[in-house]
Amino acid sequence: MIHKIISHYLLTDLTTTQLPPYLMIGASSGVVLYLAKYTLYGVALLLGPGRDKYAAAAIEVDLTTIPEGKNAVFTWRGKPLFIRHRTQEEIAKAQSADVSALRDPQSDAERCQNEKYLICLGVCTHLGCVPIAHAGDWKGYYCPCHGSHYDTCARIMKGPAPLNLEVPKHEYLDEGTVIIGKED
């Protein structure tokens, strides 16, 4: 039987005959599956939480995992989030800075609810680059793109950046846990 089907299609002029039924069924099945996949995908997006809910999500961080003197990087709302466990030397240096001489004057107490931890967004306020931790003239953060230097409290000290690195809204649940971006 198969031999007859194969010889029939090989010996006849394909331009005048119809496509074999299995090719029609296969092609139409492929199209139907493709459309069904994207229909279900659209329904899932429609019924799921919106992008604004994902963007407004809060994250909880265990601060005990960050060693003293180190900087940890997390992703929050699509941006890098820096959490720095500051040493006593870094804290003393940040607290002794002359706030009136700063371009964007903010004291250490205004920027750090818990003096041991600095929490800020890792986005340079000049053009949105990601600064490097433990670098620059003040050993805080350094943006190599255009030379902005930040201190250990993420305050702009030198370079073209107009503002300090942004400190997001955060709340300490206990001494070792912080929640960042929690909306009331």
Side-chain angles (χ1 to χ4, degrees):
M1 171 113 181
I2 294 176
H3 178 62
K4 286 183 181 181
I5 294 172
I6 292 173
S7 63
H8 170 73
Y9 286 109
L10 290 176
L11 297 174
T12 57
D13 183 15
L14 289 178
T15 58
T16 59
T17 59
Q18 294 179 346
L19 284 175
Y22 60 86
L23 285 178
M24 291 296 291
I25 292 171
S28 60
S29 297
V31 169
V32 167
L33 288 174
Y34 179 79
L35 293 174
K37 173 188 168 188
Y38 283 100
T39 301
L40 290 174
Y41 180 71
V43 169
L45 285 178
L46 180 68
L47 297 177
R51 288 185 185 199
D52 58 333
K53 296 292 182 197
Y54 283 120
I59 63 167
E60 189 173 306
V61 178
D62 180 11
L63 298 173
T64 60
T65 61
I66 305 169
E68 186 175 349
K70 297 293 181 186
N71 188 72
V73 181
F74 300 90
T75 301
W76 177 66
R77 296 184 180 178
K79 298 176 186 174
L81 176 76
F82 293 161
I83 300 180
R84 183 184 194 118
H85 188 165
R86 303 188 303 171
T87 63
Q88 282 301 324
E89 182 182 309
E90 290 175 334
I91 294 168
K93 198 170 184 180
Q95 290 176 345
S96 67
D98 181 16
V99 177
S100 63
L102 299 175
R103 183 178 306 159
D104 185 10
Q106 284 184 310
S107 69
D108 185 64
E110 289 177 81
R111 297 185 58 75
C112 300
Q113 292 177 20
N114 180 343
E115 69 178 18
K116 290 181 2 182
Y117 296 99
L118 166 70
I119 299 171
C120 65
L121 292 181
V123 179
C124 180
T125 57
H126 179 234
L127 290 176
C129 307
V130 178
I132 300 169
H134 301 286
D137 294 348
W138 284 264
K139 301 298 180 207
Y141 299 97
Y142 172 67
C143 183
C145 299
H146 300 99
S148 293
H149 296 258
Y150 299 89
D151 69 353
T152 57
C153 192
R155 296 178 293 202
I156 184 65
M157 303 302 272
K158 175 180 163 186
L163 301 170
N164 301 330
L165 294 181
E166 181 183 347
V167 174
K169 183 178 177 185
H170 58 281
E171 172 185 337
Y172 287 89
L173 301 178
D174 56 46
E175 185 65 28
T177 310
V178 66
I179 188 162
I180 300 153
K182 181 180 176 184
E183 301 295 327
D184 293 329

